[in-house]
């Protein structure tokens, strides 16, 4: 996860991907509040997400990505770049909104449970956890392919998307996903996890990102 890989078919795809995520995250950004983006990746549009906030904390486990983030946002006094160990020691009730997008599928069930409990501790009364891009158990790979092709058509990288799908099929990234496995959940399973940690839960109207068949959950501190 800390190396170059073929998730993005070209630079246009990468730019459109992070622009779409930023657009969707801004809907949950409280004016003057503190937001934690856990597992943020390259976060190319983080400066825009940070605009209405008093502070945006970017948490990224990959050292090389984290170094790039630190350099990219060194001059932005609203953005802090942190590793997961830093988040563990943050003050109780210090965060207004936590966003964890497209991370749950790479975690074991106990790892996800532990993070949900951590986020519950960090969130202020009335705070919000946005758990995005959760993969349903019955979602086929073909559905993901269709979503990427449609996104490519909308954003002008249709042919690159087709070539990229072929490249990804033979890539180390695909083999790694197969060997590690991808976690999938029913709606009720995620709701039960969140509710057992002290959240009230509702499905978001739309998923964060381009794949409308995946799920985003809004978990409010009870």
């Amino acid at each position: 996860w800390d190396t170059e890989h073929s998730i993005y078919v070209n630079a246009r795809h990468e730019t459109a991907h992070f622009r779409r995520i930023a657009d969707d995250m801004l809907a949950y950004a409280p004016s003057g509040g503190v937001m934690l983006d856990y597992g943020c990746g390259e976060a190319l549009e983080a400066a825009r997400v940070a605009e209405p906030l008093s502070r945006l904390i970017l948490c990224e486990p990959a050292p090389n990505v984290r170094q790039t983030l630190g350099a990219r946002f060194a001059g932005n006094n609203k953005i802090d770049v942190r590793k997961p160990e830093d988040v563990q020691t943050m003050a109780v009730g210090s965060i207004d909104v936590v966003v964890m997008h497209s991370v749950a599928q790479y975690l074991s069930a106990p790892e996800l449970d532990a993070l949900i409990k951590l986020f519950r501790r960090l969130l202020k009364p009335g705070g919000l956890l946005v758990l995005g891009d959760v993969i349903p158990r019955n979602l086929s790979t073909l559905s993901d392919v269709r979503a990427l092709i449609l996104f490519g058509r909308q954003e002008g990288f249709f042919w690159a998307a087709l070539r990229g799908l072929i490249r990804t099929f033979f890539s180390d990234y695909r083999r790694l996903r197969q060997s590690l496995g991808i976690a999938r959940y029913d709606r009720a399973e995620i709701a039960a996890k969140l509710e057992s940690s002290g959240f009230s839960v509702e499905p978001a109207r739309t998923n964060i990102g381009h794949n409308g068949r995946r799920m985003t959950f809004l978990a409010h501190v009870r």
Side-chain angles (χ1 to χ4, degrees), residues 26-172:
L26 277 166
Y28 304 110
S31 179
V34 179
M35 176 182 279
L36 167 63
D37 183 359
Y38 193 93
C40 63
E42 292 86 353
L44 298 183
E45 295 274 338
R48 188 156 60 90
V49 176
E51 286 178 3
L53 301 169
S54 64
R55 186 180 179 208
L56 173 62
I57 304 166
L58 300 177
C59 176
E60 172 54 44
N64 288 335
V65 177
R66 199 165 58 242
Q67 183 177 12
T68 300
L69 290 170
R72 180 181 298 138
F73 300 115
N76 192 321
N77 60 12
K78 287 190 173 186
I79 297 178
D80 291 332
V81 179
R82 295 288 182 261
K83 56 183 181 294
E85 293 81 1
D86 297 332
V87 175
Q88 295 281 346
T89 62
M90 287 179 181
V92 173
S94 59
I95 307 293
D96 293 288
V97 176
V98 175
V99 177
M100 189 170 80
H101 170 73
S102 203
V103 174
Q105 61 263 41
Y106 302 117
L107 303 174
S108 67
E111 288 171 334
L112 179 57
D113 290 339
L115 279 177
I116 290 171
K117 288 180 172 61
L118 171 64
F119 298 151
R120 176 63 179 81
R121 179 170 63 82
L122 295 179
L123 282 165
K124 297 176 181 179
L128 173 67
L129 167 60
V130 183
L131 187 61
D133 215 40
V134 178
I135 304 177
R137 286 192 179 276
N138 61 353
L139 189 68
S140 69
T141 301
L142 183 59
S143 179
D144 284 346
V145 169
R146 287 172 176 163
L148 177 60
I149 289 175
L150 178 59
F151 191 45
R153 183 178 297 149
Q154 292 170 342
E155 296 291 342
F157 60 92
F158 174 79
W159 293 110
L162 291 179
R163 292 191 297 270
L165 287 166
I166 295 171
R167 187 174 70 244
T168 298
F169 183 83
F170 295 103
S171 71
D172 290 337

Side-chain angles (χ1 to χ4, degrees), residues 17 20-21 24-25 101 133 151 206-212 216:
H17 169 81
R20 175 64 178 270
I21 289 174
D24 293 343
M25 284 180 62
H101 170 73
D133 215 40
F151 191 45
T206 58
N207 183 37
I208 292 176
H210 75 276
N211 194 332
T216 289

